[in-house]
Amino acid sequence: MVDRFDKGMTTRRAVLGNAHVDKAEAAKTDFDRPFQTLITEGAWGSVWASDAITQRERSMITLALLAATKNFEEIPMHIRATARTGASKQDVIEAFQHVAIYAGVPAANHAIKLAKQTYAEMEGEQT
C-alpha cells in the first residue's frame, strides 16, 4: 500500500505543478509542518487521489466550493491547476453560474473576476 503522504505529494504535484509545490515546501516551517502534512495526506492523498471522479470534475467542484464559501484566496491557484486537470474555461464558468444561483451572485462575480485575471496571466506566461 502506498503511503498517503507520498500519494498525496504525487497528486498535489500533478494537480498544482512542481513549481507551486516546491515553493510551498520551501516555505514550510516547524510551526505549520503538522498542518501541511494533514492537507497532503487528507486533501491530496485521500480526496484528490481517489479515482471515483475525474480530476476535471474535482477542479469544478473545488472552484465552486471556494467561491460559494467565499474562500477567494485559493481560486487563482485552482484556476492554474485546470491546465493540468482538464477543466476548461467553459467548465469553470458553468461551475460559477451554479454558485451564482445557489450561493449568491456577488460570490460568483468575484470568483469570475479572479478567474479572468488568472487566465489572462496564464496566457501572458505562454507568449
Side-chain angles (χ1 to χ4, degrees):
M1 184 168 143
V2 177
D3 177 79
R4 271 195 327 151
F5 183 87
D6 292 338
K7 188 175 186 179
M9 191 58 72
T10 298
T11 304
R12 187 176 174 199
R13 287 183 179 282
V15 172
L16 300 178
N18 287 326
H20 175 86
V21 176
D22 289 345
K23 185 177 175 182
E25 285 294 294
K28 186 167 57 176
T29 67
D30 288 340
F31 177 72
D32 67 340
R33 188 174 316 280
F35 176 74
Q36 293 296 323
T37 299
L38 173 71
I39 62 172
T40 299
E41 291 177 350
W44 298 107
S46 292
V47 175
W48 274 88
S50 169
D51 60 1
I53 62 174
T54 67
Q55 299 290 9
R56 173 184 160 267
E57 293 164 324
R58 286 187 198 287
S59 279
M60 295 166 65
I61 292 168
T62 300
L63 285 163
L65 286 168
L66 289 170
T69 58
K70 299 182 175 91
N71 287 299
F72 299 115
E73 187 174 320
E74 291 199 359
I75 285 178
M77 175 181 70
H78 281 281
I79 290 292
R80 289 183 178 281
T82 63
R84 287 175 288 284
T85 65
S88 68
K89 288 181 180 180
Q90 186 63 41
D91 293 333
V92 171
I93 197 67
E94 292 291 335
F96 289 155
Q97 288 181 142
H98 267 69
V99 170
I101 298 302
Y102 291 101
V105 170
N109 189 46
H110 189 63
I112 291 167
K113 176 184 172 185
L114 293 171
K116 287 170 59 176
Q117 290 171 346
T118 306
Y119 283 130
E121 290 170 7
M122 291 168 67
E123 289 166 7
E125 292 165 3
Q126 294 173 2
T127 57

